[in-house]
Amino acid sequence: MKKVLFLLFMAAISFPNGFACTNLLVGKAASTDGSTLVSYSADSYALYGELYHWPAKTYTKDEMLKVYEWDTGKYLGEIKQAAQTYNVVGNTNEHQLTIAETTFGGREELVDPAGIIDYGSLIYITLQRAKNAKEAIKVMTDLVNEYGYASSGESFSIADPNEIWVLEMIGKGKDRKGAVWAAVRIPDDCISAHANQSRIQQFPLNDTKNCVYSKDVISFAKEKGYYSGKDADFSFAKAYNPLDFGGQRFCEARVWSFFNRYNKDMAKFVTYAQGKTQDPMPLYIKPDRKLSLSDVQAMMRDHYEDTPLDGRYDAGAGPFESPYRWAPLEWKSDSVKYCNERPISTQQTGFVFVSQMRSWLPNAIGGVLWFGVDDAAMTVFTPMYCSITETPECYRIGNGDLYTFSWTSGFWIHNWVSNMVYNKYNYMYPEVQKVQQELEGKFISQQAEIEAKAKQLYAESPDKTIAFLTAYSTEEAQFAFDRWKKLGEFLTIKYMDGVVRKEKDGQFIRNEHGGPSSPQRVGYPQNYYDKVAKETGDKYKIH
């Protein structure tokens, strides 16, 4: 059954490699409660949002695992199956290990067409085989060395309750099996991020506690002509993913937005984010204050608000100050090239999460994947514990797909709502925020009580705890789904046909005869009317 699920999963989704996905990382001494936190926005117009699950299982020594390419579903080959695999829920496992990624691509000639392990398979196979971050790095690098790496350049976030690492990897090209890579530990009191641009510059060559790397990561770059200086000055990013305008404006700008919000000194890097200067930002920084789970969730909803990259108030935002821009990112006017901003929160997201990992709790209780589907700004982060043995119906694999609408699918219900809101953003989005705050506030406020009960059960039997948390996660996901569906119904009625129907506390106001009251005709903002009048002259003038 596991192999069937793996095939369905790989065949069902596809990530483009262009400017997709964002990871934010928070060390345990940089978080308010001592958690390590890693977020992931899985961004692709071809990705259907579901919560994947592999149960723990034992295998015989002769069993093999078929590997299918993450992007296409193409069969790549077989590898030896592990004797024991661990329970995996989305991008975390029963030991609270979390792995996420962003694709940086890098040098095209370094893709190995004969490789068997692509980056998506590498994540989910490793989650089934590793217990902590250091072990995961070894599993990942051993796998690509043995079977070949089938993808382009990747940045991986690898975290457990005590450590967070960034691993960057790229293949060696045709007829050169394996990969070159470097992994750097993020200090406990720091935050980091990556978003489709390689971020590891110089790294310590003699500090195995905080940095490990392939033995040929520098010599291979020299052999290929990517670098010719001293080993101590070697930059992984400059050698394997040279910076260009897109790498800054579409990718590093997202990292800058996170850093800028939590460290006042990062404001000076705005010109780097805009692609005007080239001195890179550090891999990690110390924040001005500690970050909470809610802070990271809020950051995943960022559109550069209140920064020089904020796009809500120019002509591209339309009359209702939308921060969204439809693809493609680049466009022309009179043969001059322009761009749209690419913020952290984006319409093409399939699923998003913030993984919370806590060392002071049993693993079954300590790991929570706060999971949502669709655009981070338009979703609800619901608590999925790392030990659960079933996934909720609204996130279930096979409940709809990109070409099959399902009224019981969280992905479709959230997209139904978000696509109502996008084009009437400034007066509809507050309705979304109100329900987000209601639901997420509920989940966070009851977390201590739920976990206290889970700990009591754990003293009796870990299996009782797992059953309890599975039921709780399922119930809360369904609760959030039902509430979001009600929100969609409410928004459809209230904002239908470009008017606003009057309501109070969620109840629509009727006239004295019990019929519908006259709606408010909101029209457009005055500044938009002024633009229309200026551009059209006397065309619409009333004489």
Side-chain angles (χ1 to χ4, degrees):
M1 182 62 179
K2 174 181 172 298
K3 291 181 181 179
V4 173
L5 287 175
F6 195 83
L7 171 59
L8 289 172
F9 170 54
M10 291 302 173
I13 63 176
S14 174
F15 283 141
N17 287 338
F19 313 127
C21 309
T22 304
N23 289 187
L24 309 179
L25 301 82
V26 180
K28 63 182 182 179
S31 68
T32 54
D33 67 349
S35 302
T36 55
L37 298 167
V38 169
S39 71
Y40 179 40
S41 180
D43 304 333
S44 168
Y45 288 105
L47 175 62
Y48 187 72
E50 301 163 307
L51 181 62
Y52 310 110
H53 175 236
W54 289 267
K57 193 173 178 181
T58 57
Y59 295 88
T60 63
K61 66 177 182 178
D62 296 324
E63 288 193 72
M64 303 292 287
L65 173 67
K66 295 182 184 297
V67 179
Y68 297 86
E69 187 176 34
W70 175 275
D71 285 331
T72 65
K74 173 186 174 183
Y75 174 67
L76 296 177
E78 289 187 337
I79 68 172
K80 296 175 184 177
Q81 181 58 275
Q84 173 69 57
T85 62
Y86 306 125
N87 189 67
V88 176
V89 179
N91 285 61
T92 192
N93 74 12
E94 64 182 277
H95 300 288
Q96 304 190 61
L97 173 68
T98 297
I99 307 177
E101 59 77 32
T102 72
T103 301
F104 64 77
R107 298 186 182 274
E108 295 179 1
E109 68 271 21
L110 296 185
V111 175
D112 176 9
I116 291 178
I117 306 287
D118 66 292
Y119 73 94
S121 305
L122 190 59
I123 290 173
Y124 294 103
I125 292 170
T126 300
L127 284 168
Q128 294 174 73
R129 299 182 179 201
K131 292 182 178 180
N132 57 53
K134 286 181 179 176
E135 191 174 318
I137 293 170
K138 186 175 190 314
V139 170
M140 294 171 79
T141 55
D142 284 352
L143 281 170
V144 298
N145 283 337
E146 183 173 359
Y147 298 105
Y149 181 54
S151 296
S152 61
E154 284 289 324
S155 299
F156 297 97
S157 300
I158 307 173
D160 61 36
N162 292 300
E163 298 183 358
I164 299 178
W165 291 71
V166 172
L167 164 66
E168 295 196 327
M169 174 185 293
I170 195 165
K172 297 181 179 181
K174 187 178 180 180
D175 301 325
R176 296 285 294 269
K177 189 165 68 172
V180 288
W181 54 272
V184 175
R185 181 181 175 183
I186 305 304
D188 293 343
D189 59 352
C190 289
I191 61 175
S192 185
H194 52 89
N196 310 119
Q197 175 67 37
S198 174
R199 304 219 60 249
I200 295 178
Q201 300 285 343
Q202 286 74 28
F203 51 88
L205 301 179
N206 298 297
D207 182 4
T208 56
K209 182 179 178 181
N210 296 298
C211 179
V212 290
Y213 50 91
S214 60
K215 62 182 180 180
D216 58 348
V217 66
I218 300 175
S219 61
F220 181 77
K222 290 181 175 181
E223 174 193 331
K224 300 293 287 186
Y226 305 150
Y227 181 69
S228 60
K230 297 178 181 178
D231 286 3
D233 297 329
F234 176 76
S235 162
F236 185 96
K238 289 178 181 178
Y240 295 113
N241 186 207
L243 197 64
D244 59 17
F245 177 83
Q248 291 180 254
R249 189 64 170 260
F250 303 141
C251 305
E252 288 282 79
R254 284 175 271 157
V255 176
W256 172 80
S257 192
F258 179 45
F259 284 2
N260 181 60
R261 185 175 296 191
Y262 291 105
N263 184 310
K264 62 183 181 298
D265 294 333
M266 293 303 295
K268 65 187 178 184
F269 282 98
V270 65
T271 52
Y272 172 75
Q274 293 170 321
K276 297 176 181 178
T277 56
Q278 278 68 53
D279 289 337
M281 296 179 294
L283 175 61
Y284 50 80
I285 62 167
K286 289 186 178 182
D288 292 334
R289 65 172 178 84
K290 294 186 177 184
L291 281 68
S292 68
L293 169 68
S294 295
D295 289 330
V296 180
Q297 291 173 342
M299 195 68 224
M300 292 305 291
R301 294 173 169 139
D302 181 67
H303 304 104
Y304 301 120
E305 284 88 352
D306 303 319
T307 76
L309 279 68
D310 191 339
R312 291 175 295 168
Y313 307 115
D314 59 45
F320 302 115
E321 299 176 350
S322 174
Y324 293 89
R325 301 293 185 273
W326 307 141
L329 286 172
E330 297 182 357
W331 49 279
K332 288 183 179 181
S333 177
D334 293 331
S335 299
V336 178
K337 291 181 70 174
Y338 297 89
C339 70
N340 295 324
E341 304 296 357
R342 199 313 195 175
I344 293 172
S345 182
T346 180
Q347 63 269 13
Q348 72 263 30
T349 302
F351 64 84
V352 60
F353 67 74
V354 179
S355 181
Q356 181 183 30
M357 297 152 278
R358 295 167 293 175
S359 61
W360 62 93
L361 290 168
N363 285 327
I365 305 169
V368 188
L369 194 76
W370 295 86
F371 184 79
V373 286
D374 191 28
D375 176 359
M378 304 285 177
T379 198
V380 176
F381 289 99
T382 57
M384 299 288 107
Y385 281 81
C386 70
S387 56
I388 65 175
T389 55
E390 297 177 10
T391 55
E393 173 65 17
C394 57
Y395 301 145
R396 179 177 57 81
I397 297 172
N399 184 1
D401 59 43
L402 276 180
Y403 296 149
T404 308
F405 189 95
S406 170
W407 282 109
T408 59
S409 159
F411 178 82
W412 278 119
I413 293 302
H414 280 273
N415 272 279
W416 171 47
V417 171
S418 63
N419 280 273
M420 278 193 273
V421 174
Y422 286 142
N423 293 318
K424 298 178 182 177
Y425 184 81
N426 65 351
Y427 68 94
M428 286 185 73
Y429 187 55
E431 306 272 17
V432 172
Q433 290 178 304
K434 192 184 307 180
V435 180
Q436 283 174 335
Q437 291 163 7
E438 169 196 323
L439 291 170
E440 292 172 359
K442 172 184 182 291
F443 299 148
I444 290 174
S445 67
Q446 67 193 21
Q447 187 176 11
E449 179 183 350
I450 292 298
E451 291 173 357
K453 185 171 183 179
K455 286 172 69 177
Q456 289 179 342
L457 290 170
Y458 196 85
E460 299 175 27
S461 165
D463 288 343
K464 288 184 178 180
T465 295
I466 293 169
F468 170 71
L469 292 175
T470 299
Y472 172 74
S473 297
T474 299
E475 289 166 6
E476 295 309 289
Q478 189 63 42
F479 181 85
F481 171 87
D482 292 341
R483 181 66 183 89
W484 212 258
K485 192 174 181 181
K486 285 291 184 184
L487 171 64
E489 295 168 358
F490 173 79
L491 294 176
T492 300
I493 296 170
K494 183 172 180 179
Y495 297 102
M496 184 171 59
D497 296 336
V499 297
V500 178
R501 287 169 174 79
K502 298 173 184 176
E503 54 88 16
K504 183 177 181 181
D505 299 327
Q507 298 297 315
F508 290 100
I509 297 172
R510 297 179 179 272
N511 64 25
E512 64 270 25
H513 308 293
S517 62
S518 180
Q520 179 185 1
R521 290 158 173 79
V522 294
Y524 295 94
Q526 185 59 50
N527 64 350
Y528 185 74
Y529 282 128
D530 293 341
K531 289 178 184 178
V532 173
K534 183 177 180 180
E535 291 181 12
T536 60
D538 292 342
K539 182 177 181 179
Y540 299 113
K541 186 176 180 180
I542 297 175
H543 297 283

